[in-house]
Amino acid sequence: MIAFLRVAVAWATVLAFAWFGKGWLADLSQPLFAGALFAWLLAVIVWAAFGVVHEAEAIAHRLGEPLGTLVLTLSIVIIEVALISAVMLSAKDAPTLGRDTMFAVLMIVLNGVVGLGLLVGGLRHHQQRYNLQGASAFLSVIIPLTTIALVIPDFTSSTSDGTLTTLQAVAFSVFTLALYGVFLLIQTGRHSEFFIDAEAPEAEHPAGAASASAGGIAKHLGLLLANVVPIVILAKSLAVILDHGIAALGAPSALGGVLIAAIVFTPEGISALKAVARNELQRAINLCLGAATSTVGLTVPAVLAIGLLTGQTVVLGLKPTEMALLAVTLILSAQTFSGTRTTVLEGAVHLVLFFVYLVLIFSP
């Protein structure tokens, strides 16, 4: 019942903004009115995002790992890409939005969610196990993807200020998609066992399609799409208000990327923390590291494509402080997931890095 009510509210909001949105968004000079519109859209989008997570988890339960988690991760990243695209296409002046959002996702997921998850899991279960091969596979893709997207643009001599030439943008997009595609083939095919807790009872990771009900999957897939589409449609309206609000408040430009990342990944982060509490660390790792991998693998080509098609400047290279924080995060992640069990200490260290990131947003 709640699932259908959620869909009804989301689509009612879509219809309301289709009929009256142009007039509502034409004049946002009244702070209370603009704030009310933003709160309305934000609440609907977040509620729909929770719906996406709920339906994706139902599909995951039927498909088993790693296919189930992959459905959830891709659904969330599609929402993220839609929000970024909407802001870029509406604002026409958001050169760093893609970079800021990707960096925010990496910090929130790799330090915030992972840190809190390992801390809670360590306090509750002392030590938690996971499949080392899966975590290593994720990191072996995350490290080159983030380096290509967020570091190399600062060191090319063809352009300045962290931008890319047309040739570089096309080539890097192709390389990023190719590497991500190879990873998906590994994750869902030949080495899918890397992403399953090998020591867990068989009941915790069903064989997949053989245990799935086609009718049940179709129902949940339909509800998942019914929640995703309104988010994509409402993203443009939210982008207009978000851009206006940041400009009016004089807030840091990076805040837009942080808000998008927080809106999109809060439901998935909660899902990962629940998995940790159930002592299902492998599922939490699949969600967190999978989100980081998919974010860079899909956002970079999307942002660069929009830049090339619309003539907008796209800045991908990080600032020196952000680059240092990213490097420490990647090194720490490799160290954290170098064994087969985790403790409270790893969680505390990741959380400290996350708090450093939050401070740097407002005091760079």
Side-chain angles (χ1 to χ4, degrees), residues 36 53 89 98 104 118 126 174 190 234-235 239-240 301 313 315 326 328:
V53 171
L89 292 173
L118 295 182
H126 300 290
V174 172
R190 176 170 298 190
L234 294 173
V240 173
T313 299
V315 177
L326 175 63
V328 174

Side-chain angles (χ1 to χ4, degrees), residues 183-258:
F183 174 77
L184 288 184
L185 291 176
I186 295 298
Q187 185 183 19
T188 59
R190 176 170 298 190
H191 297 296
S192 60
E193 70 277 5
F194 288 179
F195 307 92
I196 298 172
D197 186 351
E199 298 181 29
E202 186 66 24
E204 292 186 23
H205 44 84
S211 63
S213 166
I217 291 177
K219 172 190 171 183
H220 291 292
L221 183 60
L223 287 172
L224 186 149
L225 293 175
N227 281 288
V228 167
V229 174
I231 295 175
V232 174
I233 296 173
L234 294 173
K236 184 176 181 180
S237 299
L238 182 71
V240 173
I241 304 174
L242 182 62
D243 183 61
H244 172 81
I246 290 176
L249 295 174
S253 59
L255 189 59
V258 175

Side-chain angles (χ1 to χ4, degrees), residues 4-58:
F4 291 102
L5 176 61
R6 180 188 289 117
V7 171
V9 170
W11 280 100
T13 302
V14 169
L15 292 177
F17 273 84
W19 287 333
F20 307 110
K22 187 174 181 180
W24 290 342
L25 299 175
D27 183 11
L28 297 172
S29 58
Q30 297 296 324
L32 289 178
F33 178 71
L37 282 182
F38 180 77
W40 178 13
L41 284 172
L42 180 64
V44 171
I45 288 177
V46 171
W47 199 26
F50 271 100
V52 171
V53 171
H54 176 76
E55 303 305 331
E57 286 186 328

Side-chain angles (χ1 to χ4, degrees), residues 11 98 127 129-130 145 151 153 182 193 198 205 236 301 308 337 341 346:
W11 280 100
Q127 287 186 327
R129 65 170 184 264
Y130 64 94
L145 282 181
V151 177
V182 171
E193 70 277 5
H205 44 84
K236 184 176 181 180
L308 292 175
F337 298 112
R341 292 179 181 271
E346 288 95 340

Side-chain angles (χ1 to χ4, degrees), residues 82-174:
L83 288 171
I84 294 174
S85 302
V87 175
M88 291 183 66
L89 292 173
S90 64
K92 299 293 184 182
D93 185 26
T96 64
L97 180 66
R99 177 199 71 185
D100 293 339
T101 304
M102 285 187 286
F103 185 60
V105 169
L106 292 172
M107 293 300 104
I108 291 172
V109 171
L110 295 183
N111 286 327
V113 179
V114 167
L116 184 58
L118 295 182
L119 186 64
V120 171
L123 291 173
R124 185 165 183 173
H125 303 288
H126 300 290
Q127 287 186 327
Q128 292 184 288
R129 65 170 184 264
Y130 64 94
N131 193 323
L132 176 60
Q133 291 175 305
S136 299
F138 275 121
L139 290 172
S140 68
V141 176
I142 291 173
I143 291 173
L145 282 181
T146 53
T147 302
I148 292 171
L150 302 175
V151 177
I152 288 180
D154 277 324
F155 294 94
T156 58
S157 58
S158 303
T159 59
S160 59
D161 301 325
T163 60
L164 297 173
T165 65
T166 300
L167 174 61
Q168 290 170 342
V170 173
F172 287 7
S173 296
V174 172

